[in-house]
Amino acid sequence: HPKGRRQRHHQMIFRMAMKPSKTALVARGAVQALTSSRGAAPMMGGASRLVNSRMGAPALTSRWLSSPTDAMSPNLTALDRFVPQPPTKLTEEMAESITDMTQMYIRYGAANQRLKILAKEKDIPIVFKWQKMMEIFFHAQLHIVNGFGYPGDENGLMQYSQDLANFHENNKAEDFLLLLKNSRRDTWRALVSTTFELDAEEIPNFSIVDARNLMHKVSSRMQAPDVLYQLQQNVSTIQNDDKDMELAMKHSALQQVIVNHVYLGHEEGQKSVVEEAECGTGPEAYAKFQCALSDFEGDPLIMEYTQSAMGKMFEAAGLNPGPQGPKPSLMP
């Protein structure tokens, strides 16, 4: 059912994005293998754990400003005991405010400063650049939803994602939903154009028909015998005593094949998928393509194409996609 599938889609994005960072493991133990390849594949998700010392911010909890003395005092007032609660349901005002504030953080806040620093990192593989970009995005959004009473951790973002999915399902005001969609679209373009130093006008606008046709081609290419064979070959050489490290390295190998052999690669005499979509060539073209495609993130047909193809690639790589199928955050 489209509703249930879309809700699971949003839940899985944040569940995978908030898991302890495999990016850090890969960066420490597999970066040499990645940089020796023709490129690396950024995924739409896969952000590292957001609230940690690397982000320069303490974990957000309901009592993070309290002193130890206050916390142990037997004479706590009702305000001292207060624990913020998320809204029982999102209203139009809340949904619009969170969407607009997220865009403001990305365009003008500390998140923008971090993105500009990340943009100057020219030598890191694009997979790490994309994942770090998503980490900055989710960290900014975390601060915003925490101000609305959601927990200041991965559970808060997952709960907000579920509430937002329910809001979209139950709200029939098409004009307002279009307003939210356009605001989200502008936020994504600001995010990607800042990270990759692009002009936002360079990012194309796909129609739903174009997006579906392009993803059908991507899905078919992902399941091509030569692509699956290349993936098997790349993964077969990966071994590590640390199983988390080995898993992260295999995921990175899978991502490399998707970008190099599916999106940027092409058969002789033919254009690559990103070229056909008029995004150009190279890693920046991949970033443009993903940004343009994000406008249709919840489209049931595109999700069906992607999940079917990723299931084949997970099988070829010897990876377990889990009972609910491949996670969207690991998808192209």
mmCIF file of all heavy atoms in Angstrom, residues 181-208:
data_model
loop_
_atom_site.group_PDB
_atom_site.id
_atom_site.type_symbol
_atom_site.label_atom_id
_atom_site.label_comp_id
_atom_site.label_asym_id
_atom_site.label_seq_id
_atom_site.Cartn_x
_atom_site.Cartn_y
_atom_site.Cartn_z
ATOM 1 N N LYS A 181 6.426 21.139 -0.483
ATOM 2 C CA LYS A 181 7.264 20.449 -1.456
ATOM 3 C C LYS A 181 8.278 21.405 -2.083
ATOM 4 O O LYS A 181 9.460 21.075 -2.223
ATOM 5 C CB LYS A 181 6.388 19.827 -2.545
ATOM 6 C CG LYS A 181 7.187 19.099 -3.623
ATOM 7 C CD LYS A 181 6.272 18.498 -4.687
ATOM 8 C CE LYS A 181 7.082 17.821 -5.789
ATOM 9 N NZ LYS A 181 6.219 17.229 -6.830
ATOM 10 N N ASN A 182 7.825 22.597 -2.436
ATOM 11 C CA ASN A 182 8.723 23.575 -3.055
ATOM 12 C C ASN A 182 9.788 24.048 -2.071
ATOM 13 O O ASN A 182 10.952 24.268 -2.450
ATOM 14 C CB ASN A 182 7.929 24.762 -3.579
ATOM 15 C CG ASN A 182 7.098 24.415 -4.808
ATOM 16 O OD1 ASN A 182 7.394 23.447 -5.495
ATOM 17 N ND2 ASN A 182 6.058 25.184 -5.076
ATOM 18 N N SER A 183 9.399 24.206 -0.806
ATOM 19 C CA SER A 183 10.371 24.625 0.206
ATOM 20 C C SER A 183 11.427 23.545 0.414
ATOM 21 O O SER A 183 12.626 23.841 0.528
ATOM 22 C CB SER A 183 9.664 24.932 1.527
ATOM 23 O OG SER A 183 10.591 25.351 2.508
ATOM 24 N N ARG A 184 10.981 22.291 0.455
ATOM 25 C CA ARG A 184 11.931 21.182 0.609
ATOM 26 C C ARG A 184 12.864 21.121 -0.599
ATOM 27 O O ARG A 184 14.065 20.896 -0.460
ATOM 28 C CB ARG A 184 11.162 19.869 0.747
ATOM 29 C CG ARG A 184 12.055 18.644 0.885
ATOM 30 C CD ARG A 184 11.232 17.361 0.839
ATOM 31 N NE ARG A 184 12.094 16.199 0.948
ATOM 32 C CZ ARG A 184 12.788 15.676 -0.054
ATOM 33 N NH1 ARG A 184 12.745 16.245 -1.244
ATOM 34 N NH2 ARG A 184 13.548 14.618 0.143
ATOM 35 N N ARG A 185 12.289 21.323 -1.782
ATOM 36 C CA ARG A 185 13.084 21.318 -2.998
ATOM 37 C C ARG A 185 14.163 22.396 -2.951
ATOM 38 O O ARG A 185 15.333 22.155 -3.283
ATOM 39 C CB ARG A 185 12.160 21.550 -4.206
ATOM 40 C CG ARG A 185 12.849 21.781 -5.530
ATOM 41 C CD ARG A 185 11.813 22.101 -6.604
ATOM 42 N NE ARG A 185 12.458 22.425 -7.866
ATOM 43 C CZ ARG A 185 12.923 23.621 -8.179
ATOM 44 N NH1 ARG A 185 12.827 24.623 -7.298
ATOM 45 N NH2 ARG A 185 13.487 23.838 -9.355
ATOM 46 N N ASP A 186 13.799 23.596 -2.514
ATOM 47 C CA ASP A 186 14.767 24.688 -2.429
ATOM 48 C C ASP A 186 15.850 24.382 -1.394
ATOM 49 O O ASP A 186 17.020 24.750 -1.584
ATOM 50 C CB ASP A 186 14.055 25.999 -2.072
ATOM 51 C CG ASP A 186 13.160 26.503 -3.194
ATOM 52 O OD1 ASP A 186 13.318 26.032 -4.336
ATOM 53 O OD2 ASP A 186 12.276 27.344 -2.921
ATOM 54 N N THR A 187 15.457 23.717 -0.302
ATOM 55 C CA THR A 187 16.431 23.357 0.730
ATOM 56 C C THR A 187 17.456 22.375 0.175
ATOM 57 O O THR A 187 18.665 22.524 0.400
ATOM 58 C CB THR A 187 15.717 22.734 1.940
ATOM 59 O OG1 THR A 187 14.799 23.685 2.489
ATOM 60 C CG2 THR A 187 16.727 22.331 3.019
ATOM 61 N N TRP A 188 16.989 21.368 -0.554
ATOM 62 C CA TRP A 188 17.904 20.386 -1.138
ATOM 63 C C TRP A 188 18.855 21.026 -2.132
ATOM 64 O O TRP A 188 20.043 20.703 -2.176
ATOM 65 C CB TRP A 188 17.108 19.266 -1.807
ATOM 66 C CG TRP A 188 16.938 18.092 -0.909
ATOM 67 C CD1 TRP A 188 15.867 17.794 -0.128
ATOM 68 C CD2 TRP A 188 17.902 17.072 -0.654
ATOM 69 N NE1 TRP A 188 16.099 16.654 0.579
ATOM 70 C CE2 TRP A 188 17.339 16.184 0.278
ATOM 71 C CE3 TRP A 188 19.186 16.829 -1.134
ATOM 72 C CZ2 TRP A 188 18.017 15.069 0.737
ATOM 73 C CZ3 TRP A 188 19.862 15.713 -0.667
ATOM 74 C CH2 TRP A 188 19.282 14.849 0.255
ATOM 75 N N ARG A 189 18.348 21.938 -2.915
ATOM 76 C CA ARG A 189 19.216 22.607 -3.887
ATOM 77 C C ARG A 189 20.243 23.488 -3.198
ATOM 78 O O ARG A 189 21.398 23.567 -3.642
ATOM 79 C CB ARG A 189 18.367 23.400 -4.890
ATOM 80 C CG ARG A 189 17.859 22.510 -6.007
ATOM 81 C CD ARG A 189 16.615 23.020 -6.697
ATOM 82 N NE ARG A 189 16.280 22.168 -7.839
ATOM 83 C CZ ARG A 189 15.803 20.933 -7.753
ATOM 84 N NH1 ARG A 189 15.604 20.399 -6.563
ATOM 85 N NH2 ARG A 189 15.534 20.215 -8.838
ATOM 86 N N ALA A 190 19.868 24.141 -2.125
ATOM 87 C CA ALA A 190 20.835 24.929 -1.362
ATOM 88 C C ALA A 190 21.884 24.023 -0.735
ATOM 89 O O ALA A 190 23.087 24.339 -0.724
ATOM 90 C CB ALA A 190 20.110 25.734 -0.281
ATOM 91 N N LEU A 191 21.448 22.883 -0.235
ATOM 92 C CA LEU A 191 22.354 21.927 0.409
ATOM 93 C C LEU A 191 23.393 21.404 -0.576
ATOM 94 O O LEU A 191 24.606 21.450 -0.317
ATOM 95 C CB LEU A 191 21.527 20.772 0.974
ATOM 96 C CG LEU A 191 22.243 19.679 1.748
ATOM 97 C CD1 LEU A 191 22.707 20.203 3.099
ATOM 98 C CD2 LEU A 191 21.313 18.477 1.949
ATOM 99 N N VAL A 192 22.949 20.919 -1.719
ATOM 100 C CA VAL A 192 23.845 20.313 -2.697
ATOM 101 C C VAL A 192 24.710 21.356 -3.390
ATOM 102 O O VAL A 192 25.922 21.155 -3.583
ATOM 103 C CB VAL A 192 23.042 19.495 -3.727
ATOM 104 C CG1 VAL A 192 23.934 19.015 -4.862
ATOM 105 C CG2 VAL A 192 22.370 18.301 -3.052
ATOM 106 N N SER A 193 24.113 22.490 -3.764
ATOM 107 C CA SER A 193 24.887 23.504 -4.479
ATOM 108 C C SER A 193 25.980 24.103 -3.595
ATOM 109 O O SER A 193 27.074 24.419 -4.076
ATOM 110 C CB SER A 193 23.967 24.612 -5.000
ATOM 111 O OG SER A 193 23.300 25.272 -3.942
ATOM 112 N N THR A 194 25.721 24.226 -2.297
ATOM 113 C CA THR A 194 26.748 24.735 -1.386
ATOM 114 C C THR A 194 27.868 23.722 -1.205
ATOM 115 O O THR A 194 29.054 24.061 -1.274
ATOM 116 C CB THR A 194 26.138 25.074 -0.013
ATOM 117 O OG1 THR A 194 25.102 26.044 -0.175
ATOM 118 C CG2 THR A 194 27.201 25.644 0.922
ATOM 119 N N THR A 195 27.508 22.463 -1.011
ATOM 120 C CA THR A 195 28.503 21.413 -0.770
ATOM 121 C C THR A 195 29.401 21.187 -1.971
ATOM 122 O O THR A 195 30.607 20.966 -1.822
ATOM 123 C CB THR A 195 27.796 20.098 -0.395
ATOM 124 O OG1 THR A 195 26.948 20.316 0.737
ATOM 125 C CG2 THR A 195 28.813 19.010 -0.067
ATOM 126 N N PHE A 196 28.829 21.245 -3.164
ATOM 127 C CA PHE A 196 29.599 20.939 -4.370
ATOM 128 C C PHE A 196 29.926 22.185 -5.185
ATOM 129 O O PHE A 196 30.381 22.076 -6.323
ATOM 130 C CB PHE A 196 28.842 19.918 -5.218
ATOM 131 C CG PHE A 196 28.742 18.571 -4.560
ATOM 132 C CD1 PHE A 196 27.645 18.239 -3.780
ATOM 133 C CD2 PHE A 196 29.755 17.636 -4.695
ATOM 134 C CE1 PHE A 196 27.547 17.012 -3.151
ATOM 135 C CE2 PHE A 196 29.674 16.403 -4.076
ATOM 136 C CZ PHE A 196 28.571 16.081 -3.295
ATOM 137 N N GLU A 197 29.707 23.359 -4.592
ATOM 138 C CA GLU A 197 30.013 24.642 -5.223
ATOM 139 C C GLU A 197 29.413 24.722 -6.627
ATOM 140 O O GLU A 197 30.097 24.985 -7.615
ATOM 141 C CB GLU A 197 31.531 24.872 -5.254
ATOM 142 C CG GLU A 197 32.140 24.975 -3.857
ATOM 143 C CD GLU A 197 33.621 25.306 -3.868
ATOM 144 O OE1 GLU A 197 34.348 24.719 -4.690
ATOM 145 O OE2 GLU A 197 34.040 26.173 -3.077
ATOM 146 N N LEU A 198 28.124 24.482 -6.690
ATOM 147 C CA LEU A 198 27.380 24.534 -7.945
ATOM 148 C C LEU A 198 26.460 25.745 -7.949
ATOM 149 O O LEU A 198 26.096 26.275 -6.891
ATOM 150 C CB LEU A 198 26.524 23.272 -8.110
ATOM 151 C CG LEU A 198 27.233 21.919 -8.098
ATOM 152 C CD1 LEU A 198 26.199 20.800 -8.055
ATOM 153 C CD2 LEU A 198 28.130 21.768 -9.314
ATOM 154 N N ASP A 199 26.072 26.164 -9.127
ATOM 155 C CA ASP A 199 24.989 27.116 -9.264
ATOM 156 C C ASP A 199 23.698 26.315 -9.195
ATOM 157 O O ASP A 199 23.526 25.351 -9.950
ATOM 158 C CB ASP A 199 25.105 27.849 -10.596
ATOM 159 C CG ASP A 199 24.060 28.943 -10.761
ATOM 160 O OD1 ASP A 199 23.019 28.886 -10.069
ATOM 161 O OD2 ASP A 199 24.265 29.846 -11.599
ATOM 162 N N ALA A 200 22.792 26.689 -8.298
ATOM 163 C CA ALA A 200 21.552 25.928 -8.147
ATOM 164 C C ALA A 200 20.785 25.824 -9.456
ATOM 165 O O ALA A 200 20.030 24.863 -9.675
ATOM 166 C CB ALA A 200 20.672 26.559 -7.072
ATOM 167 N N GLU A 201 20.974 26.799 -10.328
ATOM 168 C CA GLU A 201 20.283 26.770 -11.615
ATOM 169 C C GLU A 201 20.808 25.645 -12.511
ATOM 170 O O GLU A 201 20.163 25.284 -13.504
ATOM 171 C CB GLU A 201 20.458 28.112 -12.331
ATOM 172 C CG GLU A 201 19.832 29.292 -11.594
ATOM 173 C CD GLU A 201 18.331 29.139 -11.424
ATOM 174 O OE1 GLU A 201 17.684 28.640 -12.363
ATOM 175 O OE2 GLU A 201 17.812 29.492 -10.343
ATOM 176 N N GLU A 202 21.979 25.098 -12.175
ATOM 177 C CA GLU A 202 22.538 23.998 -12.962
ATOM 178 C C GLU A 202 21.826 22.679 -12.685
ATOM 179 O O GLU A 202 21.950 21.723 -13.454
ATOM 180 C CB GLU A 202 24.025 23.823 -12.653
ATOM 181 C CG GLU A 202 24.915 25.013 -12.984
ATOM 182 C CD GLU A 202 26.350 24.769 -12.573
ATOM 183 O OE1 GLU A 202 26.809 23.620 -12.715
ATOM 184 O OE2 GLU A 202 27.003 25.703 -12.088
ATOM 185 N N ILE A 203 21.109 22.609 -11.577
ATOM 186 C CA ILE A 203 20.426 21.374 -11.202
ATOM 187 C C ILE A 203 19.117 21.295 -11.980
ATOM 188 O O ILE A 203 18.273 22.185 -11.877
ATOM 189 C CB ILE A 203 20.159 21.334 -9.686
ATOM 190 C CG1 ILE A 203 21.488 21.416 -8.926
ATOM 191 C CG2 ILE A 203 19.409 20.064 -9.310
ATOM 192 C CD1 ILE A 203 21.332 21.589 -7.432
ATOM 193 N N PRO A 204 18.923 20.252 -12.775
ATOM 194 C CA PRO A 204 17.734 20.188 -13.634
ATOM 195 C C PRO A 204 16.455 19.933 -12.851
ATOM 196 O O PRO A 204 16.496 19.526 -11.679
ATOM 197 C CB PRO A 204 18.051 19.017 -14.570
ATOM 198 C CG PRO A 204 18.954 18.139 -13.763
ATOM 199 C CD PRO A 204 19.782 19.066 -12.923
ATOM 200 N N ASN A 205 15.351 20.172 -13.499
ATOM 201 C CA ASN A 205 14.040 19.861 -12.945
ATOM 202 C C ASN A 205 13.437 18.722 -13.755
ATOM 203 O O ASN A 205 13.164 18.885 -14.951
ATOM 204 C CB ASN A 205 13.119 21.089 -13.006
ATOM 205 C CG ASN A 205 13.623 22.232 -12.150
ATOM 206 O OD1 ASN A 205 13.949 22.043 -10.993
ATOM 207 N ND2 ASN A 205 13.696 23.422 -12.738
ATOM 208 N N PHE A 206 13.264 17.569 -13.108
ATOM 209 C CA PHE A 206 12.669 16.425 -13.787
ATOM 210 C C PHE A 206 11.151 16.482 -13.654
ATOM 211 O O PHE A 206 10.625 16.875 -12.611
ATOM 212 C CB PHE A 206 13.148 15.103 -13.178
ATOM 213 C CG PHE A 206 14.612 14.840 -13.319
ATOM 214 C CD1 PHE A 206 15.258 13.962 -12.455
ATOM 215 C CD2 PHE A 206 15.357 15.441 -14.324
ATOM 216 C CE1 PHE A 206 16.618 13.702 -12.577
ATOM 217 C CE2 PHE A 206 16.709 15.186 -14.459
ATOM 218 C CZ PHE A 206 17.343 14.312 -13.574
ATOM 219 N N SER A 207 10.459 16.065 -14.693
ATOM 220 C CA SER A 207 9.033 15.787 -14.551
ATOM 221 C C SER A 207 8.902 14.398 -13.933
ATOM 222 O O SER A 207 9.859 13.612 -13.929
ATOM 223 C CB SER A 207 8.334 15.832 -15.910
ATOM 224 O OG SER A 207 8.749 14.737 -16.717
ATOM 225 N N ILE A 208 7.727 14.074 -13.429
ATOM 226 C CA ILE A 208 7.546 12.760 -12.831
ATOM 227 C C ILE A 208 7.733 11.667 -13.877
ATOM 228 O O ILE A 208 8.280 10.598 -13.591
ATOM 229 C CB ILE A 208 6.148 12.641 -12.170
ATOM 230 C CG1 ILE A 208 5.973 11.285 -11.497
ATOM 231 C CG2 ILE A 208 5.043 12.882 -13.175
ATOM 232 C CD1 ILE A 208 6.947 11.003 -10.375
#
